[in-house]
Amino acid sequence: MKNHIELSSYFLGGIFSLFLTSSCGQTPKKIENSIAVAAVVVKTEIVVGANQTAKYIGLIKDKKIGIVANNTSVIFKKNTGNEAYVHAVDSLLSLGVNIVKAFAPEHGFRGDVDAGAKIKDEKDPKTNIPVTSLYGANYKPTQEQLQGIDMLVFDIQDVGTRFYTYLSTLHYVMEACAEKGIPLVVFDRPNPNGHYVDGPVLKKGFESFVGLHPVPIVYGMTIGEYAKMINGEKWLKNRIQCDLRVIALENYTHQTAYSLPLRPSPNLPNDKAINLYPSICLFEGTNVNEGRGTEKQFQVFGSPYLPSDLYAFTYTPVSNFGSKDPKHLGKKCYGLDVSQTPKLNKIDLNWLIDAYKATPKSDEFFKFAAFFDKLAGSDELRKQIIEGESMEQIKSSWNADLAAFKEVRAKYVLYP
C-alpha cells in the first residue's frame, strides 16, 4: 500500500467504507467491514507485499495457485476514480494467474462471520472459485484439499496479538505445505501493534488454536516475520520446514504508525479497538463482557455484577454485526468506557485486576477459567490476580521470558 503522508478521515471513513472487495461478493451497502478512523499519520509510503507485483508474479504466473485470503486481502490503488483498492484475487486473475482455490480463516472469506462460528465451504460468487474453510471441519488444509495446487499464497492482515487466530491458520497452512511439498508465498502487511513486545509467554501444555507458540501476547512482528520464526524455530510438527518466501514491505519500521483501512475482523472496528485488544481481550475468559454487542467492541467492558458506585458507565449488549449472541445479551452491564485511553505501548492489567476485586463472589469472576488460561498462555496470570498481586508484580515475573523471546525474535525481524 502506498499510504500517503496525509490521508483525510473523509477518505478513510468514506471511500474505504463504500468500496469493499468485489471478489468477496460485497456490495457498497455492506460497509460493516470498513474502518472509519481519523487521519492516518504515516511519515513514509508503506508498500504492502501484495502491491509489489513485480517481485512475485514470476513465481506464480505459470502455476496452479491456492490463496489463503479474506476481506483484508487487497491491493491498494492510487487515486483512480472512486476505487481505493481491489481484492487480490481479482487483481491476480486480471494478470492471468491461475487461481484454482481459496482458503478462508476464522470470520470467513468475507470477514463478516461471528468469532468462533464455524465456516462452511462455498464458492466465491464473482469468480466461481471454490473457497475451502479452515475454520470448520478442519483448521489445517488436508492433503486432498491441496490436490492440484502447485503453490500457495497467504495474504491476511494480522493485528500482532498471540490469541488472534490467523497465526494458527498460518501455522497449519505452513505445516500442510511442508508435508505436501508445496511452496508458500506470504504477502507481508504491517502490524498495527508492532511497536512493542509485552505479556506472558505461552507455556508448554497450554497450546490451543488461540495460541500455539511460546511467544508473548504482543510479539512485535509482522505476519511475514512471524512465518520466518515458525520455520526457523522448527515449530511445525516433526520439526519440518516449509518452502517459504516472504514478499517484504517497503518503507516500514516497527515504530511506523499504521491505520488499517479495513477492519481485520468483525469486532475490531477501528484503530482504538485494535490497540486496546491485547489488554481487553483477557476479559473473554471472565464473566465480564468486553464490548461485544455494542458499537464499541474492545473499547468498553462491563457486567451485571460490577458495582454501580464504582462502575457508573452502563450499556446493554444486543445482537449485532459480528456478535449475534454476546455475553450478557439484553442485560444491563456496569463498567468502563476506555475508548479515550491514550495509545498503549504496553498491556494494561489494571482494568482486569480492579474488575476482579470489585466483583462480588470473586471466585465466579473467572467463569471460563480454562479459556482464560489459554488466552494468557498459562494458569499463572489467573493465580497471580487471585493472590492479589499488583500489575507491577505480575509484569516483573514476565521479564526473563520476554528477554529470551526478544533474542529469538531478533533472528527473524525484517524491519528496524
Side-chain angles (χ1 to χ4, degrees):
M1 171 185 183
K2 289 203 172 183
N3 210 343
H4 297 286
I5 293 175
E6 291 184 359
L7 292 177
S8 69
S9 59
Y10 171 79
F11 182 75
L12 285 172
I15 300 299
F16 282 168
S17 295
L18 291 174
F19 293 92
L20 300 182
T21 54
S22 59
S23 79
C24 291
Q26 296 168 320
T27 62
K29 67 180 180 180
K30 284 216 170 187
I31 64 172
E32 296 97 335
N33 280 324
S34 65
I35 286 185
V37 294
V40 181
V41 181
V42 180
K43 295 181 180 179
T44 56
E45 292 184 344
I46 297 174
V47 187
V48 300
N51 267 70
Q52 299 178 58
T53 312
K55 291 185 178 179
Y56 60 78
I57 193 65
L59 295 172
I60 66 176
K61 182 74 172 179
D62 299 317
K63 296 180 174 63
K64 296 176 182 177
I65 300 297
I67 184 167
V68 186
N70 65 4
N71 62 297
T72 67
S73 310
V74 296
I75 293 176
F76 297 94
K77 303 175 74 174
K78 286 189 174 181
N79 296 331
T80 53
N82 288 326
E83 193 172 75
Y85 48 80
V86 62
H87 197 274
V89 169
D90 291 342
S91 178
L92 295 177
L93 288 173
S94 72
L95 294 172
V97 176
N98 182 17
I99 299 178
V100 297
K101 183 179 287 188
F103 296 86
E106 184 180 9
H107 306 297
F109 192 57
R110 299 173 183 82
D112 57 1
V113 180
D114 284 11
K118 296 302 180 182
I119 311 295
K120 294 181 179 180
D121 294 350
E122 57 181 351
K123 281 194 175 183
D124 173 51
K126 179 180 180 182
T127 63
N128 212 35
I129 291 173
V131 180
T132 297
S133 170
L134 296 182
Y135 200 80
N138 51 281
Y139 294 142
K140 176 179 172 179
T142 66
Q143 297 300 289
E144 182 180 2
Q145 289 169 341
L146 292 175
Q147 198 67 35
I149 293 174
D150 298 324
M151 181 176 287
L152 211 58
V153 171
F154 187 101
D155 183 26
I156 294 178
Q157 177 64 59
D158 183 45
V159 298
T161 308
R162 185 187 65 223
F163 36 65
Y164 207 57
T165 61
Y166 299 156
L167 290 181
S168 295
T169 298
L170 173 66
H171 172 104
Y172 286 123
V173 165
M174 291 178 65
E175 192 169 274
C177 284
E179 291 171 345
K180 187 74 171 175
I182 296 174
L184 176 68
V185 179
V186 174
F187 294 168
D188 211 1
R189 292 185 179 271
N191 176 1
N193 285 316
H195 56 291
Y196 72 106
V197 174
D198 198 16
V201 171
L202 185 141
K203 304 293 186 184
K204 191 171 180 60
F206 289 87
E207 298 90 350
S208 73
F209 200 66
V210 291
L212 287 172
H213 310 122
V215 304
I217 289 176
V218 182
Y219 46 83
M221 305 175 79
T222 66
I223 196 80
E225 292 173 324
Y226 201 97
K228 286 169 59 66
M229 183 169 64
I230 291 174
N231 231 17
E233 295 302 302
K234 298 183 179 179
W235 286 339
L236 303 178
K237 186 172 66 176
N238 299 324
R239 297 176 62 82
I240 57 177
Q241 291 181 298
C242 174
D243 181 357
L244 175 69
R245 173 75 177 266
V246 175
I247 307 301
L249 297 157
E250 288 185 357
N251 306 320
Y252 174 77
T253 77
H254 287 286
Q255 296 304 314
T256 303
Y258 184 78
S259 178
L260 299 190
L262 289 161
R263 68 169 78 191
S265 55
N267 285 289
L268 290 179
N270 54 39
D271 293 339
K272 183 57 65 178
I274 291 167
N275 182 243
L276 291 169
Y277 178 70
S279 301
I280 302 299
C281 190
L282 291 167
F283 280 117
E284 298 264 34
T286 75
N287 64 8
V288 175
N289 172 284
E290 61 293 328
R292 294 186 190 271
T294 77
E295 295 305 312
K296 284 190 172 183
Q297 303 97 321
F298 296 100
Q299 301 157 83
V300 300
F301 65 86
S303 86
Y305 315 114
L306 288 171
S308 59
D309 58 332
L310 295 178
Y311 293 89
F313 175 75
T314 64
Y315 65 93
T316 302
V318 299
S319 180
N320 68 357
F321 170 72
S323 191
K324 295 181 179 63
D325 187 25
K327 198 184 301 179
H328 304 311
L329 174 65
K331 296 180 180 179
K332 188 175 184 178
C333 292
Y334 301 88
L336 291 178
D337 181 342
V338 295
S339 61
Q340 300 306 308
T341 303
K343 183 177 179 179
L344 293 180
N345 299 305
K346 63 180 181 180
I347 291 177
D348 193 324
L349 295 176
N350 281 326
W351 296 315
L352 183 69
I353 294 170
D354 291 346
Y356 170 78
K357 291 178 180 178
T359 302
K361 298 181 180 179
S362 57
D363 59 325
E364 296 180 4
F365 179 80
F366 290 108
K367 184 176 180 179
F368 311 101
F371 187 58
F372 182 90
D373 294 348
K374 289 177 180 178
L375 293 172
S378 78
D379 58 2
E380 292 175 6
L381 177 58
R382 178 170 53 86
K383 291 177 178 177
Q384 288 170 318
I385 292 172
I386 292 171
E387 290 167 3
E389 292 189 25
S390 67
M391 181 169 74
E392 291 71 25
Q393 289 173 313
I394 293 171
K395 285 203 159 193
S396 68
S397 71
W398 303 343
N399 289 341
D401 286 344
L402 284 174
F405 168 73
K406 287 176 181 178
E407 290 185 7
V408 174
R409 173 185 178 274
K411 295 187 288 183
Y412 304 107
V413 292
L414 298 170
Y415 318 102

